Amino acid sequence: MNRETHVFHTNREDLERAAQLLREGQTVAFPTETVYGLGANALNPEAVKKIYEAKGRPSDNPLIVHIARLEDISQLVTHIPEKAKLCMERFWPGPLTLILPCTDRVPSAVTAGLDTVGIRMPDHETALQLIALAGIPLAAPSANSSGRPSPTTAAHVLEDLSGRIAGVVDGGAAGVGVESTVLDVTGDKPMILRPGGITREMLQELLGPVGIDPALSDAGIAPKSPGVKYTHYAPKGTMFLIEGEHDVDKIVELARAARHDGKKVGILAAAEDADAFRSVFSEEEGAVILEAGSRHDLSTVASRLYDAIRTFDHHGVELIYAQTYSEEGVGLAVMNRLRKAAGHRVIFS
Ligand code: TXA
Ligand code: MG
């Protein structure tokens, strides 16, 4: 498809028009509390196919189905384990996707042929209204071109998908900034397949022990969540993570050397260290310094991460040096995305 992508606002009339397009089998991107999603009727295989085409997404990577009311789940799953019920009560609407055994009503285009389906109820007024107005569950992956950072604004969506999708609902910036936690509740022990907005600590408090898919920390094991294996969130430049106590000095040294070679350099700094970098490099010198957020509030890092990666691209940065964060709470999701963005290139200081 190559036609104009319509930009809708969040008023009732616009949402009804967007919902109409979805009912007709078109794709429309919409805001959620995590990132923007690219929606299509989850029960219509032809509509779902358009998502894969627009994104250039590999077809073995299943989609998350978004619902607005708990009743909507009965047509999608064969049964709901007790632990899943507890999660729904506590965390829905919210950034938690539950992997559940699916019915035949869910097309294999959504599940990529698996016998499970990922479902979530987003905690976002506009998303909930749009799903309710459309009257259908919406399959929606992040609304980026496959491999690019997930979009946290409508502008990011248009940057990647303009002319390839029927519309986008502009609801301002997404809040959480990293995607939902994907939790497999089909086995005895709940397993995190992708860390996200609902943390392992929060889940364990409710459910007892919660595992983490070993593939997340070992590149040699095939992940249970197919999407996790692909290169993701990648900037156009090459990114390195700098770990250890002397990270500021190390980054200054590396950035100076790269500047010396005539490279355009980016530094993704914690709020606490940004001034230290700014006092060494000025922008005219070809170093772009962006603040990721505070070490003391990792939710700020989560919410700015993808926008920062896209901003480095806009500046044509060739090499990016990023500081790293604690893996507590949402830090686990932040570090998971940073490692992937950096293609697992880590330098110790
Ligand atoms: O926050 C989010 O989850 C966003 C917003 C739009 O809701 N969506 C999102 O979708 O991140 P996507 O397609 O970018 O990522 C979906 C992830 C992939 O890693 C996929 O492999 C996994 O969920 N997934 C979906 N269905 C699955 C299933 N049945 N079994 C295992 N993993 C599944
Ligand atoms: Mg994605």
Side-chain angles (χ1 to χ4, degrees), residues 148-149 231-240 263-266 309-321 340-343 345:
R148 299 272 298 140
T231 313
H232 248 111
Y233 322 115
K236 290 180 180 147
T238 307
M239 184 159 157
F240 296 87
K263 296 272 197 242
K264 185 140 195 186
V265 173
I309 292 175
R310 284 179 184 261
T311 304
F312 285 130
D313 289 351
H314 297 158
H315 286 278
V317 164
E318 298 165 272
L319 291 168
I320 302 163
Y321 300 107
K340 298 204 77 176
R345 282 176 287 265

Side-chain angles (χ1 to χ4, degrees), residues 19-337:
Q20 178 63 29
L21 288 175
L22 288 163
R23 272 196 303 274
E24 288 166 5
Q26 302 296 322
T27 52
V28 176
F30 60 95
T32 80
E33 82 282 31
T34 57
V35 301
Y36 273 68
L38 177 58
N41 181 354
L43 303 176
N44 174 349
E46 288 306 312
V48 170
K49 226 174 92 189
K50 291 182 187 157
I51 291 178
Y52 287 90
E53 282 165 9
K55 286 187 53 118
R57 181 178 174 106
S59 59
D60 68 343
N61 190 3
L63 305 175
I64 294 171
V65 177
H66 296 66
I67 59 172
R69 301 168 317 167
L70 275 180
E71 302 92 274
D72 299 337
I73 206 172
S74 54
Q75 59 181 333
L76 305 171
V77 305
T78 54
H79 83 112
I80 305 176
E82 221 34 61
K83 286 188 174 158
K85 282 186 194 144
L86 290 174
C87 286
M88 291 172 187
E89 275 163 29
R90 176 74 67 90
F91 298 118
W92 279 7
L96 178 68
T97 296
L98 296 170
I99 304 298
L100 295 163
C102 69
T103 63
D104 318 334
R105 282 221 66 191
V106 185
S108 62
V110 170
T111 63
L114 300 173
D115 54 10
T116 54
V117 60
I119 302 182
R120 86 178 191 99
M121 187 188 290
D123 187 14
H124 194 287
E125 205 34 54
T126 301
L128 293 172
Q129 272 181 38
L130 181 68
I131 301 165
L133 285 171
I136 39 179
L138 297 182
S142 50
N144 50 283
S145 296
S146 212
R148 299 272 298 140
S150 294
T152 52
T153 65
H156 294 166
V157 175
L158 291 167
E159 188 174 286
D160 282 15
L161 301 178
S162 184
R164 304 176 65 84
I165 60 177
V168 55
V169 178
D170 186 349
V176 178
V178 292
E179 302 83 346
S180 63
T181 305
V182 177
L183 186 71
D184 185 350
V185 280
T186 60
D188 289 339
K189 184 178 180 187
M191 294 289 284
I192 293 175
L193 306 187
R194 178 179 73 180
I198 300 293
T199 66
R200 184 188 199 185
E201 292 87 338
M202 291 159 83
L203 292 168
Q204 298 207 125
E205 197 189 300
L206 179 70
L207 304 175
V210 171
I212 299 187
D213 186 358
L216 289 178
S217 49
D218 183 343
I221 303 176
K224 276 197 83 179
S225 184
V228 169
K229 72 172 178 281
Y230 294 104
T231 313
H232 248 111
Y233 322 115
K236 290 180 180 147
T238 307
M239 184 159 157
F240 296 87
L241 305 187
I242 315 302
E243 292 201 347
E245 272 186 82
H246 306 292
D247 56 344
V248 173
D249 292 343
K250 188 73 189 173
I251 289 173
V252 167
E253 176 196 322
L254 290 165
R256 277 205 175 114
R259 289 292 310 122
H260 187 77
D261 292 341
K263 296 272 197 242
K264 185 140 195 186
V265 173
I267 297 174
L268 187 56
E272 289 77 14
D273 292 325
D275 281 342
F277 293 117
R278 286 195 195 104
S279 69
V280 180
F281 298 104
S282 67
E283 193 152 328
E284 304 80 71
E285 289 175 301
V288 178
I289 298 159
L290 298 180
E291 261 182 53
S294 170
R295 281 188 208 294
H296 306 296
D297 181 2
L298 295 179
S299 68
T300 59
V301 183
S303 74
R304 290 184 202 159
L305 185 60
Y306 293 142
D307 183 66
I309 292 175
R310 284 179 184 261
T311 304
F312 285 130
D313 289 351
H314 297 158
H315 286 278
V317 164
E318 298 165 272
L319 291 168
I320 302 163
Y321 300 107
Q323 292 186 287
T324 57
Y325 301 88
S326 138
E327 297 197 51
E328 268 163 56
V330 78
L332 186 66
V334 165
M335 285 307 299
N336 168 260
R337 307 309 193 272

